[in-house]
Amino acid sequence: GINAEYMGQAALETQTDADLVRLFGGQERLDLLKTHLTKVTSAGATVDIISFGFVAVITKTLERLDMLGFFRRIYGNDSPELAMGKAPLIESLLGEAGIPKDRCLFVDDDQRNCALAKLQGIPSRLVEPPEGIQQRDMDVIEATVDAGGAAAAATGLSGPDA
């Protein structure tokens, strides 16, 4: 609960910007992620983060890496909406926005979350831990968006050491 969130914030405060860049796989990978997110959002996709991390820690991390602007909303361990699980949350968000499930691409590094999303009819892409999203995943995501297949995407951007 609160202690874990506080510890996460305290740990983040001890990280230098260089440490954060390393956590995301280095400057080259971070630049690649920014280019990818620019392409996806410029093509009209909406990107939310649904994570079991804490919203404040995720937000501050993304602010420091100049990436926060790519994301519409961040849901974390401390978000009441996430209590139902990732797939039900996505289904709820899509319903509220009037977006058909087949216009969403759920990206996650946990096979169980992807399997649950698929069971609910939500297309998903498993990114292999511990590397996180790689060029091959970005290519699939961009192609899906370019084909008009993803109006919304939920993603985790953890790096190799995150």
Side-chain angles (χ1 to χ4, degrees):
I2 294 172
N3 288 338
E5 181 178 7
Y6 174 78
M7 289 171 49
Q9 289 179 14
L12 177 60
E13 290 173 12
T14 67
Q15 301 288 319
T16 66
D17 289 347
D19 292 334
L20 293 178
V21 169
R22 269 193 303 281
L23 285 171
F24 274 73
Q27 189 62 53
E28 185 177 333
R29 181 169 181 273
L30 189 60
D31 291 342
L32 192 64
L33 286 169
K34 288 179 179 180
T35 298
H36 165 67
L37 287 164
T38 298
K39 288 179 185 177
V40 168
T41 56
S42 295
T46 300
V47 184
D48 291 341
I49 293 178
I50 301 174
S51 171
F52 291 121
F54 291 98
V55 172
V57 175
I58 295 166
T59 300
K60 287 179 185 175
T61 300
L62 293 172
E63 281 175 346
R64 287 180 56 188
L65 294 171
D66 194 29
M67 294 178 67
L68 185 59
F70 292 113
F71 304 97
R72 178 183 60 164
R73 284 187 262 178
I74 299 170
Y75 297 91
N77 193 40
D78 48 342
S79 301
E81 302 91 342
L82 189 54
M84 62 180 96
K86 289 185 177 186
L89 173 56
I90 294 167
E91 189 170 34
S92 172
L93 294 172
L94 292 172
E96 288 171 15
I99 299 171
K101 291 179 189 179
D102 65 353
R103 295 281 322 275
C104 175
L105 181 61
F106 172 61
V107 180
D108 202 89
D109 63 358
D110 186 320
Q111 188 171 359
R112 293 168 297 189
N113 290 330
C114 289
L116 288 170
K118 286 180 181 178
L119 282 174
Q120 292 191 345
I122 301 167
S124 65
R125 170 99 181 153
L126 176 67
V127 295
E128 296 296 328
E131 299 90 17
I133 293 176
Q134 297 297 305
Q135 184 64 56
R136 64 187 174 269
D137 303 305
M138 293 179 208
D139 292 344
V140 168
I141 295 165
E142 290 169 17
T144 302
V145 170
D146 288 343
T155 184
L157 296 174
S158 61
D161 301 320

